[in-house]
Amino acid sequence: MKYDVTVDLINREEKYSFGEVAKQANGAAWLRSGKTVILATVVIDETEIVKDDFLPLTVQYIEKSYAAGKIPGGFFKRETKPSDFETLTSRIVDRSLRPLFPKGFGYPTQVTILVLSADKESDLQVLALNAASAALFVSDISIDKSVCALRVVKVDGELVLNPTLSQLNSSTLDLYLSGTKDDLLMIEMRTIGSNEFDNSLVVDPFMDPTLGMPIVEMHVSNAISEDELIGIFEQAQEALSQNNIKYEELFAPYKRECLSLEYKAHNINEEMVDFVRTTHMPEIKSAMNQMAKSERSTALRTLRKNILKTNASWDEVELKDAVEKVKRGQVRTQILDENIRADGRTLREVRPISISTNVLPSAHSSCLFTRGETQALVVLTIGGAKDAQMYESLTDSGTQNEHFMVHYNFPGFSVGEASPITGVKRRELGHGNLAKRALEPILDLDSQTIRLVSEVLESNGSSSMATVCGGYMALRAADIETSDIVAGIAMGMVSDGDRYAILSDIMGLEDHDGDLDFKVTGSKNGITAMQMDIKLGGISLDVLKEVLYQAKEGRAHIIDIMLEAETNIELNDGVLPNSDFFHINPSFIGDIIGQAGKTIREIIEKFEVAIDIDKKDGKVKVTGKSKSGVEGARAHIEGIINTPKVAKIEYKVGDKYKGIVKKIVDFGAFIELPDGTDGLLHISKVSDQRVEKISDVLSEGEEIGVEILEFKGNKISLGRA
């Protein structure tokens, strides 16, 4: 492969080839970085134009198993549905590319990103966006801006730009940004606990204790302060700017001649706008005050019908656009001129919050979190190590286990839509992932598996942040320890170029008609995760800092309400799994496990528990569905420990001993010898007379005399003495 362009970046080199492959696409870029090779293509459908005010862009990021020398697992030996990582990466690229397209661009556009070769140190999410942007820049679409991605991590207290995956895995910060040479467009951030690993033996009813030992992951909260984050943004934005300047200069010679495309004309009928603004402002303001999306839509639809009754010649689509423009203008003007929002709140005011915990009596725990007209029912389930979600990334050497899951569901009825519930969409996966990143740093899973499911029952502004708040409360309602209390808030902004207003806890109307959607999660002391999308095309760091501090103020308000609700939690004692922790001398672990795991399996089956044993320091965790079962298992283990050990006897053929009939079987009886060793007394050796049924001669628990006849490997053959 001949490479046309080499781009030297901080800690990474990228080589691009244009015009050699995928020549029938509108644009294509072949990118190599290290041993990773990615092909990105852009294709538009020039035969149709979508008339709605919407950019019909589809991004698909696809990892090929052969890229890492693997064959797909499972029944079907070819790539099937996308993994969560592929879906989330597609979403990140989509959000970064959309601002580049010209206004009025309505042609269906497909961006395809194929990972053809991958090494274990490559950041595929960063390379995916860079490759897609390169393909778009050199295409025949009229786009003259480059966008690129940058990841920033913090290793041993030092910032690293464009890290390797090894550095990311040892980092306390994961910050992914995208932007042009002028503007910061998107931010994804999470803090990472300082992962610790121990040699834990995890035993449950479905695991053979003689098999390999799973690793237990430990997390410690690493929230980051607003001031430190702003400093990092400054460095990152400068790096993004310099990178994009390089891309645009180097890619410009390979830009195709642009197509002559007609863009959607979105002309507003100003006569209708003036009429609505002059004669129907009270109805517009009333519709604005309808907080639910369905109620607001109904009010505006009714207004349009009433206007058409007296203006029958008017086009309803044009009237809809006119009404929407008046409504949007009123929302923004009222905020900028009066500092009053559509629902009457001040700019910093958070909507009323109510919290009810353990509303589902048969679930391990639950929380119904309501903030204004947004409501999330978050339900928690506790499992053992075997309940973890198995997954395998392209660059992983083997399968991994996910012990903390957050699943977010957004049914149509939550916004008054008559739509069926189907599979998980990208938005649902993305919001669940954001909530997971927000809460994971405060958890010490300690060999547990935790699943949080957020059922959004009503939505009018940031149900993902309601999921974070409800998720924390569900954790506490299950008596799960956390290192801090975490809440989330969605921030917005309205700007007319000269003035701006920052909004706390935005509702759906302000998200739709505003210029910023910025979700921030964390404690009172710092941030654990964030997600930002800019609709203006960029945001200054001074404004960003103001947004972060106003978000901190809002989080503190929400956290105070959550702390009060925490004092009223009543656990679902009859349902919630019980756990007990204690320590034993590690020298007794072999006695507890028994030969081939026999003893510990008997404890598990008898008391219906799961048992985790740390081989290094003797820490034992017993978990079960009932308190009595957990207590019984602990007592049994302590009984084994407190029973004096009997010295092993060196048995010889001809020795005679007293033994206890331990178990009777069809072919004989197992006899327990004085040191606990078992021997077999065959039915033919029980008596001088022929015995048809051994239970006619012996009974379990009976003491009899036996003689050592022979050794067969580790087995002892006995005769009657």
Side-chain angles (χ1 to χ4, degrees):
M1 176 65 66
K2 172 181 171 291
Y3 292 98
D4 304 303
V5 172
T6 298
V7 185
D8 291 317
L9 305 171
I10 300 173
N11 297 325
R12 188 173 69 242
E13 181 183 80
E14 296 177 354
K15 295 181 178 181
Y16 289 87
S17 177
F18 304 110
E20 286 199 41
V21 297
K23 298 174 186 177
Q24 297 191 43
N26 292 81
W30 179 284
L31 163 62
R32 174 165 179 169
S33 180
K35 294 182 179 180
T36 294
V37 176
I38 293 178
L39 172 63
T41 61
V42 180
V43 177
I44 66 170
D45 184 353
E46 302 174 53
T47 62
E48 64 173 302
I49 185 168
V50 177
K51 295 183 178 180
D52 293 337
D53 187 18
F54 174 72
L55 173 63
L57 171 66
T58 302
V59 176
Q60 285 185 289
Y61 166 85
I62 302 169
E63 296 179 341
K64 298 295 184 178
S65 295
Y66 58 70
K70 298 179 180 180
I71 295 175
F75 188 79
F76 297 101
K77 296 302 177 182
R78 67 180 301 162
E79 290 82 2
T80 53
K81 72 173 187 176
S83 67
D84 286 0
F85 180 82
E86 288 173 296
T87 301
L88 292 169
T89 302
S90 299
R91 192 166 184 261
I92 286 174
V93 175
D94 185 301
R95 288 159 50 203
S96 300
L97 294 182
R98 280 184 181 273
L100 300 182
F101 283 82
K103 188 173 183 180
F105 188 94
Y107 299 93
T109 304
Q110 173 73 42
V111 175
T112 305
I113 307 161
L114 301 178
V115 180
L116 306 177
S117 176
D119 66 45
K120 294 182 179 180
E121 293 296 342
S122 291
D123 189 332
L124 297 177
Q125 284 189 328
V126 168
L127 294 175
L129 176 56
N130 293 355
S133 174
L136 196 59
F137 186 87
V138 301
S139 72
D140 50 17
I141 303 172
S142 182
I143 291 177
D144 58 2
K145 278 189 177 182
S146 166
V147 63
C148 69
L150 176 72
R151 195 181 300 275
V152 182
V153 301
K154 193 175 183 181
V155 181
D156 297 328
E158 298 294 328
L159 293 181
V160 180
L161 277 61
N162 292 325
T164 63
L165 289 190
S166 297
Q167 290 172 317
L168 174 59
N169 291 334
S170 59
S171 171
T172 58
L173 171 70
D174 179 8
L175 176 62
Y176 182 101
L177 309 98
S178 70
T180 65
K181 64 184 178 184
D182 301 313
D183 298 314
L184 185 62
L185 299 178
M186 190 199 71
I187 299 173
E188 293 265 358
M189 192 215 85
R190 66 180 176 125
T191 57
I192 306 171
S194 55
N195 295 340
E196 302 167 0
F197 298 94
D198 57 27
N199 297 317
S200 292
L201 174 63
V202 181
V203 185
D204 59 41
F206 301 95
M207 177 177 288
D208 187 335
T210 62
L211 298 178
M213 312 309 178
I215 292 176
V216 179
E217 190 172 355
M218 312 276 287
H219 296 279
V220 180
S221 177
N222 268 309
I224 188 169
S225 71
E226 285 76 7
D227 283 339
E228 183 179 359
L229 203 53
I230 288 296
I232 296 173
F233 286 159
E234 289 176 349
Q235 295 186 49
Q237 191 170 31
E238 176 62 24
L240 285 172
S241 179
Q242 294 303 316
N243 291 352
N244 280 299
I245 290 173
K246 290 181 181 180
Y247 287 130
E248 292 180 10
E249 290 178 351
L250 293 171
F251 294 167
Y254 305 96
K255 173 73 175 174
R256 294 188 184 183
E257 183 179 349
C258 292
L259 296 170
S260 179
L261 299 174
E262 293 183 7
Y263 296 153
K264 291 181 291 186
H266 194 71
N267 297 321
I268 302 293
N269 189 317
E270 293 300 331
E271 179 187 353
M272 292 183 183
V273 171
D274 291 339
F275 176 82
V276 172
R277 186 180 289 128
T278 303
T279 61
H280 292 282
M281 279 306 295
E283 292 96 322
I284 293 289
K285 292 180 179 180
S286 176
M288 285 168 50
N289 292 328
Q290 302 294 320
M291 290 302 98
K293 177 182 176 182
S294 58
E295 295 174 352
R296 188 165 58 250
S297 298
T298 299
L300 293 174
R301 186 166 54 249
T302 301
L303 172 60
R304 292 196 302 270
K305 288 181 178 180
N306 291 337
I307 293 174
L308 289 173
K309 287 178 182 179
T310 57
N311 299 272
S313 62
W314 282 7
D315 180 76
E316 185 173 0
V317 175
E318 286 187 334
L319 179 60
K320 182 178 180 180
D321 288 342
V323 170
E324 178 64 24
K325 181 176 180 179
V326 175
K327 184 265 295 180
R328 185 175 188 272
Q330 177 59 29
V331 169
R332 298 169 67 86
T333 299
Q334 184 172 301
I335 290 172
L336 290 171
D337 291 346
E338 305 174 31
N339 288 338
I340 297 295
R341 299 153 76 172
D343 58 358
R345 282 186 292 155
T346 62
L347 304 187
R348 295 174 176 267
E349 189 175 348
V350 176
R351 288 171 290 177
I353 292 173
S354 67
I355 301 172
S356 301
T357 52
N358 287 336
V359 296
L360 304 180
S362 294
H364 287 169
S365 78
S366 57
C367 173
L368 184 64
F369 183 91
T370 306
R371 186 193 60 242
E373 293 73 36
T374 295
Q375 187 176 68
L377 175 63
V378 187
V379 188
L380 179 145
T381 308
I382 300 173
K386 66 181 179 62
D387 296 305
Q389 172 68 60
M390 295 181 63
Y391 68 95
E392 183 176 0
S393 299
L394 190 63
T395 53
D396 288 336
S397 57
T399 57
Q400 308 294 318
N401 289 321
E402 183 180 6
H403 292 279
F404 179 55
M405 296 165 276
V406 180
H407 296 154
Y408 168 100
N409 298 316
F410 192 87
F413 65 75
S414 67
V415 288
E417 293 180 355
S419 59
I421 294 176
T422 57
V424 179
K425 300 179 180 64
R426 287 185 179 184
R427 179 180 179 276
E428 291 176 297
L429 193 61
H431 281 6
N433 183 59
L434 174 59
K436 176 180 185 288
R437 291 186 284 122
L439 295 170
E440 194 168 29
I442 63 170
L443 290 175
D444 176 359
L445 296 179
D446 196 27
S447 77
Q448 293 182 115
T449 296
I450 296 175
R451 180 184 184 230
L452 284 172
V453 179
S454 176
E455 308 287 1
V456 179
L457 306 184
E458 187 180 1
S459 180
N460 183 19
S462 198
S463 49
S464 63
M465 297 297 93
T467 297
V468 172
C469 298
Y472 172 83
M473 294 304 301
L475 289 167
R476 296 301 299 125
D479 201 26
I480 293 173
E481 292 296 326
T482 61
S483 62
D484 210 336
I485 178 169
V486 165
I489 187 168
M491 306 297 293
M493 184 174 69
V494 171
S495 174
D496 62 4
D498 298 321
R499 300 175 298 166
Y500 67 88
I502 299 171
L503 312 176
S504 296
D505 179 28
I506 58 173
M507 57 183 178
L509 180 67
E510 294 163 339
D511 185 8
H512 182 269
D513 292 333
D515 302 318
L516 173 70
D517 181 13
F518 196 177
K519 302 177 178 71
V520 188
T521 73
S523 66
K524 288 187 176 183
N525 299 317
I527 298 169
T528 58
M530 68 167 60
Q531 184 181 92
M532 182 187 76
D533 290 301
I534 303 293
K535 302 175 186 178
L536 288 173
I539 185 172
S540 73
L541 291 179
D542 288 339
V543 174
L544 186 56
K545 184 174 183 179
E546 192 175 336
V547 173
L548 288 175
Y549 272 100
Q550 191 166 318
K552 182 177 183 179
E553 175 188 298
R555 283 201 318 275
H557 168 75
I558 297 170
I559 286 172
D560 287 339
I561 297 173
M562 292 166 62
L563 285 171
E564 183 178 355
E566 203 173 324
T567 62
N568 299 319
I569 290 176
E570 294 182 7
L571 303 180
N572 283 350
D573 285 326
V575 177
L576 193 64
N578 281 268
S579 298
D580 194 3
F581 296 86
F582 56 99
H583 285 78
I584 62 171
N585 189 320
S587 65
F588 286 97
I589 291 177
D591 298 296
I592 296 171
I593 295 173
Q595 189 173 3
K598 180 180 178 182
T599 303
I600 201 164
R601 279 198 294 270
E602 289 176 350
I603 300 172
I604 288 167
E605 292 170 3
K606 180 178 180 180
F607 298 102
E608 297 182 335
V609 295
I611 302 174
D612 306 339
I613 305 176
D614 188 307
K615 297 188 299 179
K616 185 178 180 180
D617 60 13
K619 180 182 177 182
V620 180
K621 178 185 177 184
V622 181
T623 305
K625 294 182 178 180
S626 67
K627 187 175 182 180
S628 60
V630 172
E631 291 176 345
R634 174 171 180 168
H636 191 97
I637 291 172
E638 290 176 339
I640 294 174
I641 296 170
N642 295 328
T643 300
K645 289 188 176 182
V646 178
K648 293 293 183 182
I649 298 173
E650 185 178 349
Y651 294 106
K652 297 178 182 178
V653 174
D655 289 348
K656 296 180 180 180
Y657 298 96
K658 292 289 186 179
I660 305 296
V661 179
K662 191 173 183 180
K663 187 176 183 180
I664 294 176
V665 293
D666 292 341
F667 53 84
F670 288 99
I671 310 300
E672 184 178 334
L673 297 174
D675 66 349
T677 302
D678 288 345
L680 174 64
L681 177 63
H682 194 268
I683 191 171
S684 62
K685 308 294 185 187
V686 172
S687 173
D688 294 336
Q689 305 295 323
R690 179 179 176 82
V691 176
E692 296 291 339
K693 193 175 182 181
I694 195 168
S695 59
D696 294 337
V697 180
L698 298 177
S699 58
E700 292 183 1
E702 178 184 353
E703 185 180 65
I704 62 172
V706 292
E707 180 182 354
I708 307 296
L709 297 182
E710 63 177 325
F711 296 94
K712 296 179 179 180
N714 293 327
K715 298 178 181 179
I716 301 176
S717 179
L718 304 175
R720 191 74 178 265

